[in-house]
Amino acid sequence: MSVVLGMALAVIPFTTLPAASAVPGDPMLVQLGSDPAQLRQFCYSTRCGDEEWRRGSALAPSLSFQGKRKGRPTLPGSQRWISLWAPARPRDHTASYSNNWRVGTRYHVDALRDGPTRLGLQLGAGYRLAPLNDDGIDHRGAVLRGAVDFGHRINDRANWSQRIQFEAGQDGSTFVKQSFGLDVSLWPEWTLESDFQIRHRETGQSGSESAESTLKLRRRF
């Protein structure tokens, strides 16, 4: 049996189709059909067989591919309906402080700040640990403090500022300090600064006043 199968496999590859005279029809078509090897075309191209599936190929100009992957679809209700950005800072703030001569807290509000004129109000309470000649009453104890800051831009080169600061303690002790200042820009790097201060201190039935002024020419490096 194995000998017959081996002879069959050896003979089949060499068998050919019937001759052209044995098949009816046009002799030229019959000759081409009888020898399939003549239907093969020689190919001298070095392009790959899947060239028509590549992007930008001349074989498939209708194909288009997107370079970026599409994002995930947004679900209903996940869109932002309003997008706002508010760079403005609040007009008021509170702060606690402590140093070598006083501890306390204060509240500050900017009444005017967006125009050429500015006005700030400050009020707070604390405890004085040690007296300071230029800042408050001259003995220890609980104090009530406040300040009024005023400023005005006269023009592009001149600014006026004024500050009134007060502190009140026990036994009717009070301290008031007023500061006036005028800054004038002479050149881009040079500024003329003037300052005038008046201090009033009152303790019981006695009181004292002092004043001083300064004039400085400052250069920025």
Side-chain angles (χ1 to χ4, degrees):
M1 183 66 181
S2 59
V3 177
V4 176
L5 181 59
M7 293 179 63
L9 294 176
V11 173
I12 289 175
F14 296 98
T15 59
T16 58
L17 294 176
S21 59
V23 179
D26 190 351
M28 295 296 296
L29 297 178
V30 173
Q31 184 177 0
L32 291 175
S34 62
D35 190 2
Q38 297 183 9
L39 299 177
R40 299 177 181 177
Q41 298 180 358
F42 294 96
C43 181
Y44 299 98
S45 176
T46 58
R47 287 183 293 187
C48 301
D50 58 349
E51 177 69 15
E52 65 273 10
W53 297 104
R54 294 190 177 183
R55 181 175 55 185
S57 174
L59 299 179
S62 61
L63 295 179
S64 60
F65 299 89
Q66 297 182 359
K68 296 183 179 180
R69 182 178 299 177
K70 294 183 178 180
R72 299 178 59 184
T74 56
L75 299 177
S78 61
Q79 297 88 352
R80 293 184 179 181
W81 297 99
I82 300 177
S83 179
L84 299 178
W85 179 61
R89 56 185 176 84
R91 289 181 175 270
D92 58 337
H93 63 274
T94 58
S96 300
Y97 60 91
S98 63
N99 45 47
N100 294 333
W101 53 87
R102 191 178 65 252
V103 294
T105 182
R106 57 174 174 260
Y107 172 77
H108 181 87
V109 58
D110 293 325
L112 298 174
R113 66 176 186 180
D114 298 330
T117 303
R118 63 183 185 277
L119 177 63
L121 305 175
Q122 180 177 306
L123 184 63
Y127 188 87
R128 177 162 291 280
L129 303 175
L132 188 63
N133 182 40
D134 195 36
D135 183 63
I137 59 178
D138 56 356
H139 60 84
R140 299 180 180 180
V143 295
L144 177 67
R145 292 176 58 86
V148 178
D149 294 318
F150 174 81
H152 180 71
R153 185 174 66 250
I154 301 175
N155 50 42
D156 295 338
R157 304 181 60 180
N159 289 277
W160 169 265
S161 61
Q162 181 178 356
R163 178 179 175 86
I164 302 176
Q165 177 183 346
F166 66 90
E167 181 177 286
Q170 299 175 356
D171 301 331
S173 300
T174 57
F175 171 82
V176 180
K177 176 181 177 181
Q178 298 188 51
S179 302
F180 307 90
L182 179 63
D183 299 340
V184 180
S185 298
L186 304 178
W187 296 279
E189 296 85 8
W190 294 88
T191 304
L192 181 64
E193 299 179 352
S194 60
D195 187 18
F196 182 71
Q197 297 181 1
I198 301 176
R199 290 182 293 269
H200 175 80
R201 180 177 286 106
E202 184 175 347
T203 304
Q205 300 297 328
S206 62
S208 62
E209 291 187 357
S210 62
E212 63 180 16
S213 61
T214 58
L215 183 65
K216 298 182 292 184
L217 183 63
R218 177 175 297 181
R219 184 179 186 275
R220 297 182 180 180
F221 295 93

